[in-house]
Amino acid sequence: MPLGPSDVEPDAKPGYPGGKAEGRATLEARAERLTELQELLYANGVAGTVDEAGRGQSLLLVVQAMDTAGKGGILRHVVGTMDPQGVETVGFKAPTEEERRHDFLWRIRPHLPQDGFVAVWDRSHYEDVLIHRVRGLSAPEEVERRYGAIRDFERELVDSGTRIVKVMLHLSKDEQRDRLAERLDRPDKFWKYNPADVDERAVWDEYMEAYRIAIAETDTDDAPWFMVPADRKWYSRIAVQELLIHAMESMDLQWPPADFDVRAEKRRLAAS
Amino acid sequence: MPLGPSDVEPDAKPGYPGGKAEGRATLEARAERLTELQELLYANGVAGTVDEAGRGQSLLLVVQAMDTAGKGGILRHVVGTMDPQGVETVGFKAPTEEERRHDFLWRIRPHLPQDGFVAVWDRSHYEDVLIHRVRGLSAPEEVERRYGAIRDFERELVDSGTRIVKVMLHLSKDEQRDRLAERLDRPDKFWKYNPADVDERAVWDEYMEAYRIAIAETDTDDAPWFMVPADRKWYSRIAVQELLIHAMESMDLQWPPADFDVRAEKRRLAAS
């Protein structure tokens, strides 16, 4: 059985003995490796590298979390160190009226990563089994149906050459209170504060239960979930960074060979 | 008369007395200011701030250049330091068949910045008066028509609240040869090399002339062109960084006020 929210301490830092200062140094040092791998992935996209089955490779990072858990910081300090040329970030907001008229995956599909790209989803199709379950935005049997639809959807993606890494940034309810309080203390943070966030705190346990079920239903070998403790922002960043590094290392990427005659091009260039 | 390529030395570093090491330190130090301003812009987008005419604000950076001039480095080391949440980068490649069937601005319009966003265009509608002029991809009278169409288009954008900064990264032909040669020397750079780049060198002067005309026709007070010397990558990066900082400073942005009762929210939060 996969781990759920209750199995992981939000203030833990599994696998990392150091503290905050060391963690920040690690983040900076490992950004180089992350960037190198992402360039390698992108290079293969540009070169059109495919496997025996004719598939290119790409990476999809799904980030889910309660508010203030640090999604923005992951985008900025982890995703933001990669070359924006090969990274596509999408923030999924509340669906529009048109989007609501379609199946829940309809608005998701246009954002699948192209070959060579890293796609990053800030919220995702999981909202349709999280808030929809907690707030009853869809009928229970529809929510049930969606777990299977998500498994099929992600399997299809993996089969077409996309690695999937799914992260839940796991924050404690107390830490969230502190972070919301900070927004109320600082006029330069008011814009980040939304009174609805306090309403959501009233159903915190229901959200944790919805996460537990969603993760149990959709944690597969091909599209695994990772519960990342998020009470320490610096820790969650290096944890997600390592997940990305590991995913790309497992792709066994090589620099694409020249598809032109290198010596002939050198002569042509020298004469130009 | 606006400056054209022949008025600017590609290896100059106007306004900056320091050297490379100092330039890199400047880039890092000023990234903080850039990021602060961009967050301010984004905050106002989120808050829905509008002026008397009901307009929000946004910023559009257009980057044009010959190959190897360093567009990628600008995206990574300047644009990449901002919060990806509020930045939308688009790379305009050669148009598809469908795009070619429409007016040249048709594929451009969907990528206008939303309020609060910084849009960055890696190539742009200017390709339609640059390569189209040099390679005769459109009839001369159509190219002529487009200068006016671009002026109208950009004026419309500015009128709706978007600041426009247009940059030509100005590289020398010799420096380009060196950079292409490096790609041919390093197997990890082969993927960046395109034999067509050498073909374009044969019409280098025609490109410079096309830039000169395009800039003369479309350099306006509202949507000015900046010729940024690009033989020194570190210089072109701090130059573009300053242009972005200056553009956002001129917006006179303030942190949006709370649209809720701060004290009441503090009580509600404490009780949650």
Side-chain angles (χ1 to χ4, degrees):
Chain A
M1 227 185 63
L3 295 178
S6 61
D7 304 309
V8 176
E9 290 299 331
D11 64 349
K13 47 186 186 74
Y16 196 79
K20 185 171 181 171
E22 203 178 335
R24 288 188 169 178
T26 296
L27 186 72
E28 200 173 326
R30 292 291 279 170
E32 216 165 301
R33 177 68 180 145
L34 178 65
T35 287
E36 181 188 21
L37 285 161
Q38 182 251 324
E39 184 173 82
L40 207 41
L41 176 61
Y42 185 68
N44 280 284
V46 171
T49 309
V50 292
D51 65 11
E52 327 77 57
R55 299 174 308 188
Q57 295 198 85
S58 61
L59 177 61
L60 168 62
L61 172 68
V62 173
V63 187
Q64 285 290 154
M66 298 299 283
D67 275 303
T68 77
K71 289 192 284 91
I74 296 287
L75 290 187
R76 188 155 179 172
H77 300 287
V78 181
V79 174
T81 62
M82 294 188 280
D83 189 343
Q85 220 180 163
V87 179
E88 207 139 343
T89 302
V90 195
F92 288 101
K93 318 264 182 223
T96 63
E97 219 172 292
E98 184 185 12
E99 287 169 349
R100 277 199 300 266
R101 278 197 301 269
H102 291 82
D103 181 69
F104 76 109
L105 292 172
W106 182 79
R107 68 171 187 148
I108 304 291
R109 291 186 184 274
H111 300 287
L112 299 177
Q114 301 168 57
D115 288 353
F117 272 74
V118 179
V120 180
W121 293 354
D122 171 358
R123 305 185 186 277
S124 65
H125 49 304
Y126 282 96
E127 292 297 325
D128 299 276
V129 293
L130 293 168
I131 188 171
H132 277 246
R133 181 177 195 102
V134 172
R135 293 293 183 185
L137 301 181
S138 297
E141 50 278 18
E142 169 61 9
V143 171
E144 286 302 320
R145 183 193 70 80
R146 287 177 184 173
Y147 299 123
I150 289 174
R151 282 192 301 269
D152 293 346
F153 169 64
E154 294 181 352
R155 142 87 32 206
E156 175 195 310
L157 262 183
V158 168
D159 284 348
S160 69
T162 301
R163 302 270 162 146
I164 304 179
V165 173
K166 298 181 291 193
V167 164
M168 181 209 180
L169 297 178
H170 187 31
L171 185 74
S172 68
K173 197 177 171 188
D174 282 346
E175 177 67 20
Q176 191 196 50
R177 183 191 292 114
D178 292 348
R179 293 185 186 177
L180 288 173
E182 199 198 343
R183 293 181 180 179
L184 288 171
D185 277 335
R186 292 177 49 178
D188 63 333
K189 300 285 182 195
F190 285 167
W191 68 277
K192 290 187 171 186
Y193 183 85
N194 185 346
D197 293 346
V198 174
D199 303 332
E200 296 297 86
R201 288 174 61 76
V203 286
W204 183 276
D205 292 344
E206 287 83 345
Y207 270 107
M208 291 307 110
E209 176 66 1
Y211 269 106
R212 190 192 62 74
I213 297 169
I215 290 168
E217 290 275 359
T218 64
D219 179 73
T220 61
D221 287 347
D222 286 329
W225 271 104
F226 298 92
M227 304 284 306
V228 174
D231 276 8
R232 306 172 202 240
K233 289 182 183 173
W234 63 266
Y235 175 78
S236 59
R237 291 171 192 169
I238 55 178
V240 174
Q241 188 184 52
E242 285 305 319
L243 289 172
L244 291 173
I245 288 173
H246 182 261
M248 287 191 279
E249 282 182 339
S250 74
M251 290 180 184
D252 195 26
L253 296 159
Q254 309 297 327
W255 292 110
D259 59 356
F260 46 81
D261 180 335
V262 176
R263 289 176 60 195
E265 287 301 318
K266 282 187 178 178
R267 280 192 301 272
R268 235 162 58 86
L269 176 62
S272 74
Chain B
M1 230 187 60
L3 295 178
S6 61
D7 303 309
V8 177
E9 291 298 332
D11 65 349
K13 47 187 186 73
Y16 196 78
K20 184 171 182 170
E22 204 178 333
R24 288 189 169 175
T26 296
L27 186 72
E28 201 173 325
R30 293 289 279 169
E32 216 166 299
R33 177 69 180 144
L34 177 67
T35 287
E36 182 188 18
L37 286 161
Q38 183 249 325
E39 186 175 80
L40 206 42
L41 176 61
Y42 185 68
N44 280 283
V46 170
T49 310
V50 293
D51 64 12
E52 326 77 57
R55 299 173 307 187
Q57 295 199 85
S58 60
L59 176 61
L60 168 62
L61 172 68
V62 173
V63 187
Q64 285 289 154
M66 299 298 283
D67 275 304
T68 77
K71 287 191 284 93
I74 296 288
L75 290 186
R76 189 157 179 170
H77 300 286
V78 181
V79 174
T81 62
M82 294 188 282
D83 189 344
Q85 220 180 164
V87 179
E88 205 138 346
T89 301
V90 195
F92 288 102
K93 317 266 182 223
T96 63
E97 220 172 292
E98 186 186 12
E99 287 168 350
R100 278 198 300 267
R101 278 196 301 268
H102 291 80
D103 180 69
F104 75 109
L105 292 173
W106 181 79
R107 68 172 188 148
I108 304 291
R109 291 187 184 273
H111 301 287
L112 298 178
Q114 301 168 58
D115 288 353
F117 271 75
V118 179
V120 180
W121 293 355
D122 171 359
R123 304 183 186 278
S124 66
H125 48 305
Y126 282 97
E127 292 297 324
D128 298 276
V129 293
L130 293 168
I131 189 172
H132 277 245
R133 182 177 193 101
V134 173
R135 292 296 185 183
L137 301 181
S138 297
E141 50 278 16
E142 168 62 10
V143 171
E144 286 303 319
R145 182 192 72 81
R146 288 177 182 172
Y147 299 123
I150 289 174
R151 281 192 302 269
D152 293 346
F153 169 64
E154 295 180 354
R155 141 86 31 204
E156 175 195 310
L157 262 182
V158 168
D159 284 348
S160 69
T162 301
R163 303 270 162 147
I164 304 180
V165 173
K166 300 181 289 193
V167 164
M168 182 210 178
L169 297 178
H170 186 32
L171 185 74
S172 68
K173 196 177 172 189
D174 281 347
E175 178 66 21
Q176 190 195 51
R177 184 192 290 114
D178 292 348
R179 293 185 186 177
L180 289 172
E182 199 198 342
R183 294 182 178 179
L184 288 171
D185 276 337
R186 293 178 49 178
D188 63 332
K189 300 284 182 195
F190 285 167
W191 68 277
K192 290 187 171 184
Y193 183 87
N194 184 346
D197 293 345
V198 174
D199 304 333
E200 296 297 86
R201 288 175 61 77
V203 287
W204 184 274
D205 292 344
E206 287 83 345
Y207 269 106
M208 292 307 110
E209 175 67 2
Y211 269 106
R212 189 191 63 74
I213 298 169
I215 289 168
E217 291 275 358
T218 63
D219 180 74
T220 62
D221 286 348
D222 286 330
W225 270 104
F226 298 93
M227 304 284 306
V228 174
D231 276 10
R232 306 172 203 239
K233 289 182 183 174
W234 63 265
Y235 175 78
S236 59
R237 290 171 193 169
I238 55 179
V240 174
Q241 188 184 52
E242 286 306 317
L243 290 171
L244 292 173
I245 287 173
H246 182 260
M248 287 192 281
E249 281 181 341
S250 73
M251 290 180 185
D252 195 26
L253 296 159
Q254 310 296 328
W255 291 111
D259 59 355
F260 46 82
D261 179 336
V262 176
R263 288 175 60 194
E265 287 301 318
K266 281 187 180 178
R267 281 192 302 269
R268 237 163 54 85
L269 177 61
S272 73

